[in-house]
Amino acid sequence: MTTAAAGGADEVPPADTQRSGGTSVPAPRKPSGQSPAGQPPNGPVRSRRSVTGTRRVIAALFLAPALVLLGALVVYPIVYSVYRSFFDQSGNGFAGFDNYKALFTDDTIRTAVKNNAIWVVLAPTVSTALGLIFAVLTERIRWGTAFKLIVFMPMAISMLAAGIIFRLVYDQAPERGVANAVAVGVHDTFAASAGFPKAHPLPVHPLKAAGGGSFVTKAPVRAGEPVQLPLVGVLPAKMPGDAKPARAPEAVNDGKITGTAWLDFTKGGGGKPNVIDAEELGLKGIKVEAVKGGKLVASATAGADGTFTLPASADGAELRLPASNFKEPYNGVDWLGPTLVTPGIIGSYVWMWAGFAMVLIAAGLAGLPRELLEAARVDGANEWQVFRRITVPMLAPVLAVVLVTLMINVLKVFDLVFIIAPGSSQDDANVLALQLYRSSFGTDADLGIGSAIAVLLLLLVVPVMLFNIRRIRKEGRR
């Protein structure tokens, strides 16, 4: 009763107390580490942590082979190359920075550095520009897909095969080299080709050398006395196809000078010098000049049978066969000579990689908002303005990707230079990757210089890579 009076008959004891024999006693407290359900309150967190740790271990196990390969094939060679670059040729003596000094004092290596600079500037720029032009123009033609396929096809060819192809393309002989065949064809269209290169008289002939590649008669000519101008050394391929058997000219009494220019050579032998034999051909088209006192007074051209006629003013003159009759034929451009070998090899690189640039730029071009281009045209912009003010700025990220990729690629170019450039001009076409090979292998190999060149190439590539990474991160934040 006392208890009921104090707290009320129906009063519920507190949650933390229990009744025992009419009195309230404190209820036993649950362990602090237990949740109401009887589980630890941090159980799910710990479980998540263990799952995350397990996943990390599994990821590390999967990445381990790749990391081992990366370390063995990339990291270790880089570290060892840096280490080796500070030693001499034998590898026993410490050379310090002498190998790096040689990179900028040796003429051959300086040429390689200069050529690499030319490559980095020209090859990526030209390839990207052509790729942009091709990508834009092929959108406007019906057979654009076929054109893209043709332009991209060289990418399926290895550098080795491309080098062999262009070694033949740049061959000096027009009958083998396509480039010189075109050059000779264009030249001969606008300028007369040489007549009889390497032709010359024998000592018994009535001709003598006059300097500059020309020949003159040993004595002045007289009217009424036929003149003989025999030559030898004419290549069969250079004989005119419509040349006829040579014949002696008829004597005339009108003061004119007549004569015959012919090939004084009989196939199989048996002919006589200074005598027109039956099988000997006239030198059709050869030019004959009459010279008095060093002045030209008359000229004539031999016919198919070698005969020619000069006016009476040539009486008493010396007859001259000018050097233009005997000059060497135009054989085209020396593409693989010291001057043009580097631009020629860059041309072969552009042939291969312009298709790569075109495909990437065409993919970016397909993602441009067409309504923006059409709006510009509606506002009165012409195609050039649309291209320059809208298309190119919007393609800037893609152009940067192509340009940077090609810059990294050309810093490592080796195959094309090694195969296309002949031995006589390989020093003039030298690049760092080729010099790295030449310095590191062979009987005179200097691994110290070769390692220094490898480190230099790495240092040249790193800024371009950093620029590319920054650009990718910047694009990712947009």
Side-chain angles (χ1 to χ4, degrees), residues 161-416:
I164 294 173
I165 290 171
F166 273 87
R167 180 64 181 267
L168 295 175
V169 168
Y170 292 139
D171 196 289
Q172 184 65 42
E175 59 270 17
R176 291 194 302 270
V178 176
N180 272 338
V182 174
V184 170
V186 173
H187 175 272
D188 290 349
T189 301
F190 299 98
S193 59
F196 306 99
K198 301 182 185 290
H200 60 278
L202 292 174
V204 296
H205 288 162
L207 290 167
K208 63 180 180 179
S214 62
F215 301 99
V216 298
T217 54
K218 295 178 179 178
V221 296
R222 298 297 177 185
E225 299 178 1
V227 182
Q228 294 182 334
L229 302 178
L231 293 173
V232 294
V234 179
L235 298 175
K238 291 298 180 180
M239 284 297 296
D242 55 348
K244 296 180 180 180
R247 68 177 180 85
E250 298 178 359
V252 293
N253 298 320
D254 55 0
K256 295 182 179 179
I257 303 295
T258 59
T260 303
W262 82 98
L263 177 61
D264 194 13
F265 174 78
T266 302
K267 292 182 179 180
K272 296 181 180 180
N274 294 327
V275 176
I276 300 176
D277 298 308
E279 297 182 2
E280 295 175 348
L281 301 176
L283 298 177
K284 179 186 177 182
I286 195 168
K287 189 175 182 180
V288 182
E289 298 176 341
V291 180
K292 284 184 179 181
K295 294 183 179 180
L296 178 66
V297 295
S299 64
T301 301
D305 57 2
T307 59
F308 60 90
T309 302
L310 291 168
S313 58
D315 187 20
E318 292 181 334
L319 297 191
R320 179 176 64 188
L321 299 178
S324 58
N325 292 316
F326 314 109
K327 67 180 180 181
E328 291 291 334
Y330 179 73
N331 286 323
V333 181
D334 189 9
W335 297 104
L336 299 181
T339 305
L340 296 178
V341 62
T342 295
I345 300 174
I346 291 176
S348 66
Y349 179 90
V350 171
W351 175 76
M352 288 192 66
W353 287 87
F356 167 81
M358 177 195 65
V359 170
L360 292 188
I361 296 172
L365 194 61
L368 294 184
R370 301 295 167 177
E371 59 273 11
L372 185 61
L373 302 178
E374 295 300 327
R377 294 187 181 101
V378 170
D379 288 341
N382 56 38
E383 292 301 324
W384 170 247
Q385 291 173 328
V386 172
F387 174 77
R388 185 166 60 92
R389 301 286 181 83
I390 299 177
T391 303
V392 172
M394 295 187 70
L395 284 175
V398 179
L399 296 177
V401 170
V402 175
L403 199 61
V404 170
T405 303
L406 294 181
M407 287 176 67
I408 296 173
N409 186 268
V410 299
L411 283 172
K412 303 178 293 182
V413 68
F414 165 78
D415 315 60
L416 290 176

Side-chain angles (χ1 to χ4, degrees), residues 17-236:
T17 62
Q18 293 181 355
R19 289 187 177 273
S20 175
T23 60
S24 298
V25 296
R29 294 183 177 274
K30 297 178 181 179
S32 60
Q34 296 285 336
S35 64
Q39 297 178 354
N42 297 329
V45 176
R46 291 179 180 175
S47 177
R48 286 195 297 271
R49 288 177 180 174
S50 62
V51 170
T52 302
T54 303
R55 289 177 177 174
R56 287 177 179 174
V57 171
I58 294 174
L61 291 176
F62 276 104
L63 288 175
L67 292 176
V68 171
L69 289 175
L70 185 66
L73 300 179
V74 178
V75 178
Y76 172 74
I78 291 176
V79 174
Y80 182 76
S81 295
V82 174
Y83 168 79
R84 185 64 179 83
S85 66
F86 291 103
F87 287 83
D88 59 11
Q89 182 175 3
S90 64
N92 298 321
F94 184 74
F97 288 94
D98 291 344
N99 292 327
Y100 291 96
K101 292 178 182 177
L103 300 184
F104 302 98
T105 56
D106 185 89
D107 291 338
T108 303
I109 301 177
R110 286 168 59 187
T111 301
V113 173
K114 180 192 71 174
N115 287 338
N116 258 106
I118 296 173
W119 271 88
V120 170
V121 172
L122 286 183
T125 304
V126 175
S127 299
T128 304
L130 286 178
L132 175 61
I133 294 171
F134 291 158
V136 172
L137 294 183
T138 50
E139 281 199 332
R140 300 179 174 274
I141 55 178
R142 297 177 58 185
W143 41 275
T145 303
F147 181 83
K148 290 179 181 178
L149 178 63
I150 294 173
V151 175
F152 187 75
M153 194 176 296
M155 284 295 299
I157 303 175
S158 67
M159 287 280 196
L160 173 64
I164 294 173
I165 290 171
F166 273 87
R167 180 64 181 267
L168 295 175
V169 168
Y170 292 139
D171 196 289
Q172 184 65 42
E175 59 270 17
R176 291 194 302 270
V178 176
N180 272 338
V182 174
V184 170
V186 173
H187 175 272
D188 290 349
T189 301
F190 299 98
S193 59
F196 306 99
K198 301 182 185 290
H200 60 278
L202 292 174
V204 296
H205 288 162
L207 290 167
K208 63 180 180 179
S214 62
F215 301 99
V216 298
T217 54
K218 295 178 179 178
V221 296
R222 298 297 177 185
E225 299 178 1
V227 182
Q228 294 182 334
L229 302 178
L231 293 173
V232 294
V234 179
L235 298 175

